[in-house]
Amino acid sequence: MEMFNQERRVAFPLTDQAPSSARHWFSEQSRFPLDLHDRVVLLLSELVANSVSHSGLAEPEEVEVSVRKIPGGLHVEVVDHGMGIDDATPREPDHFGLRFVDTQTDRWGYSNDPTRVWFEILGDEA
C-alpha cells in the first residue's frame, strides 16, 4: 500500500460538516490497508465531532487535523483552541468519545491550551 512520508495538515471550520470533511480529507490522502483506514476514519470523525460539540467555539474558528506516518502505523492529532478537557478519564460516563478512542487505539493522550487529542494506530501493513 502507498502511504505518505510527510506529515499532512488541514483545518476545517467548526461546523456540523467538519467531521464529514475530515473523513473525506483523510480518505483522499493516500491508500491505506482497509482496517487501518477504517479505524482512523472512525476515530478522526469522533474527535472532530467532539471539537465541534464541546470546544465552545464555532465558525470561523477551526479544528486542525494532522496525520503522520510513524514506524508501523499512523499518528493523528486533532487540535482546537476551545475550553479544553477537564481531567477526562475514558471510564467516566460523560466521556464516551474518549472511551471509544481508548478502546480503538494502541496509544492516545490529550493536553490543553490548545486542546490536543492524539492517537496512534499500529498495523502490520502500515
Side-chain angles (χ1 to χ4, degrees):
M1 291 282 156
E2 170 196 347
M3 287 190 35
F4 51 84
N5 291 322
Q6 299 180 59
E7 181 175 39
R8 307 272 174 104
R9 293 181 174 271
V10 67
F12 303 101
L14 280 163
T15 67
D16 290 340
Q17 290 76 40
S20 174
S21 297
R23 287 191 302 271
H24 291 294
W25 172 82
F26 178 77
S27 293
E28 294 171 358
Q29 293 309 297
S30 195
R31 294 180 357 173
F32 300 95
L34 188 57
D35 62 328
L36 180 69
H37 172 271
D38 290 351
R39 286 173 65 198
V40 170
V41 165
L42 283 171
L43 292 159
L44 183 58
S45 183
E46 177 64 32
L47 292 178
V48 170
N50 281 354
S51 285
V52 171
S53 299
H54 302 296
S55 68
L57 303 173
E59 188 177 24
E61 297 294 327
E62 295 181 323
V63 57
E64 302 163 18
V65 174
S66 66
V67 179
R68 66 181 161 87
K69 186 175 178 183
I70 59 172
L74 290 176
H75 177 94
V76 179
E77 291 188 4
V78 176
V79 179
D80 67 58
H81 294 272
M83 299 184 327
I85 299 172
D86 186 22
D87 293 328
T89 63
R91 289 163 197 57
E92 293 177 21
D94 55 340
H95 294 294
F96 174 78
L98 295 180
R99 281 189 295 168
F100 181 68
V101 171
D102 187 51
T103 62
Q104 297 298 311
T105 62
D106 293 292
R107 287 187 291 272
W108 76 281
Y110 73 92
S111 60
N112 288 318
D113 202 21
T115 306
R116 177 183 316 274
V117 181
W118 61 269
F119 65 86
E120 294 179 349
I121 295 181
L122 306 176
D124 294 336
E125 300 178 46

